[in-house]
Amino acid sequence: MTTGIRPRGWRPPRARRTQPRRLAAPRLLPVNGLGPEDVVLDEHDRIITGVDDGRLLALDQDGRQLRVLADTGGRPLGIETLPDGALLVCDAERGLLRIDPRHGHVHTLLPGGGPGRPALCNNAAVATDGTVYFSDSSRRFPLSRWRHDLMEHSGTGRLWRLPPDGPAEVLLDGLQFANGVALTPDETSVVVAETGAYRLRRVMLTGPRAGSSDTMLSAMAGFPDNISTGTDGLIWVTQAAARSRLLDTAHTHAPALLRLAAALPQPLQPQPAETLWLLAVDTHGRVMHELAAPVGDFGMVTGVRQHRGTLYLGSLTSRAVATLPLEPATPH
């Protein structure tokens, strides 16, 4: 993949270093499982998420009704809705799945593992013509060892495209833990979060630069995780943890130390500082919103959807999904 030509003196946008706007603590909607990593709203405004035992769950807006829609038999991560009401699920173990939420039927679109297949299917976006763009985080490590990939920094992540009537193809390779995926509102480009490089990458899909790629936002202050295009036309970005100065320094000056750290038991490895920290960027890579809220019982935010003035949030380490109003409630 080639990099698009830019005017002399062009630099990729950098994340703002301003104080984020502080919001109140989110409202938590408990789920009976660990790690509702991503969230999406279906046609009935139910909140759909997946947990670590393979179940796909639906919650109403009050969190009072919890229904099991299906069981992938793996580890569901990114979730998207399809035009016919079906769900598209990136399963870290089983690959790219299509699920009928009415009957719980699970159909494998692209199995995980093996030559020419994704190794760690993570997050996706669906175009209006049915084309699926999805991330493959690492060819070196499974989801349970995601910290090892960030420490090793070997860059084996990929961004894939699966058209409705053709084979899957890799659009972008060599990514440092490819993660969230989103299409711009006009679908002229697709954006992927590169967690281990603290940046958003973009691939042009139409026009004279189709097939070229560039950096949409660089030098982020946190690890970007899932991303999604909101109803406001902005791309919303989670930052699962604050950027690690120790990790940055070791990558540059002492990579051997990171290999030693990766061999330690997980509790002794460098641990990310959990945050509830979100960005919203426009199609030029400009940060339009930077928001933070107290972590409390809900940290390491990995999934975000903006819908009708509310943010819906997922987390890899919590036992709840969360809602966060973008504006204070109007007094009556």
Side-chain angles (χ1 to χ4, degrees):
M1 188 67 60
T2 58
T3 301
I5 299 173
R6 288 292 186 175
R8 185 186 300 273
W10 181 87
R11 294 290 185 274
R14 296 169 61 91
R16 294 187 297 189
R17 290 292 185 267
T18 57
Q19 279 294 110
R21 181 159 63 97
R22 305 292 299 185
L23 299 178
R27 182 169 66 104
L28 302 187
L29 307 178
V31 298
N32 58 353
L34 176 65
E37 196 264 356
D38 196 21
V39 289
V40 72
L41 277 75
D42 70 4
E43 58 186 341
H44 306 294
D45 276 354
R46 296 183 302 176
I47 305 164
I48 312 298
T49 191
V51 289
D52 71 341
D53 62 8
R55 289 175 300 141
L56 206 65
L57 307 174
L59 298 86
D60 65 9
Q61 289 286 329
D62 293 327
R64 295 174 183 170
Q65 295 184 11
L66 180 70
R67 179 186 172 196
V68 178
L69 299 180
D71 191 331
T72 70
R75 197 344 174 168
L77 296 176
I79 308 171
E80 298 293 322
T81 55
L82 296 169
D84 62 358
L87 298 170
L88 180 79
V89 175
C90 290
D91 191 288
E93 299 171 7
R94 294 198 52 199
L96 194 65
L97 310 176
R98 173 189 168 92
I99 294 179
D100 178 353
R102 295 167 298 178
H103 307 293
H105 296 159
V106 179
H107 173 67
T108 301
L109 297 175
L110 191 64
R117 297 176 181 177
L120 201 175
C121 192
N122 193 322
N123 199 246
V126 183
T128 53
D129 68 355
T131 298
V132 176
Y133 300 88
F134 66 96
S135 59
D136 179 11
S137 294
S138 172
R139 278 172 279 178
R140 290 272 296 136
F141 301 102
L143 180 65
S144 61
R145 299 177 66 196
W146 59 266
R147 290 179 179 84
H148 291 71
D149 194 276
L150 296 182
M151 287 188 284
E152 185 179 90
H153 216 59
S154 55
T156 62
R158 296 175 287 186
L159 174 67
W160 292 70
R161 172 166 56 193
L162 178 64
D165 55 356
E169 60 177 334
V170 174
L171 288 184
L172 201 59
D173 204 343
L175 300 175
Q176 298 291 347
F177 204 85
N179 211 320
V181 179
L183 286 157
T184 54
D186 59 7
E187 298 189 0
T188 59
S189 59
V190 60
V191 182
V192 58
E194 197 174 2
T195 301
Y198 313 105
R199 64 186 177 185
L200 304 182
R201 296 287 299 279
R202 172 174 51 191
V203 178
M204 312 304 171
L205 302 175
T206 63
R209 295 183 55 220
S212 66
S213 66
D214 64 10
T215 298
M216 185 178 188
L217 183 67
S218 68
M220 297 176 67
F223 290 95
D225 206 284
N226 286 348
I227 66 177
S228 63
T229 305
T231 53
D232 55 6
L234 299 175
I235 294 175
W236 285 85
V237 184
T238 63
Q239 295 190 110
R243 186 165 179 161
S244 168
R245 183 175 297 178
L246 174 64
L247 196 62
D248 290 348
T249 302
H251 280 151
T252 304
H253 302 292
L257 292 180
L258 288 176
R259 289 193 290 272
L260 291 174
L264 295 172
Q266 183 172 309
L268 300 179
Q269 294 174 8
Q271 301 297 314
E274 292 189 354
T275 65
L276 204 168
W277 189 7
L278 303 154
L279 302 177
V281 301
D282 67 10
T283 55
H284 301 288
R286 296 176 297 205
V287 177
M288 308 305 292
H289 302 293
E290 185 173 1
L291 309 174
V295 173
D297 295 328
F298 190 84
M300 200 171 187
V301 179
T302 52
V304 60
R305 300 283 169 171
Q306 183 276 339
H307 182 70
R308 296 178 183 171
T310 298
L311 297 176
Y312 297 83
L313 308 175
S315 167
L316 187 65
T317 59
S318 298
R319 291 184 176 270
V321 298
T323 64
L324 192 63
L326 282 172
E327 299 295 339
T330 303
H332 292 86

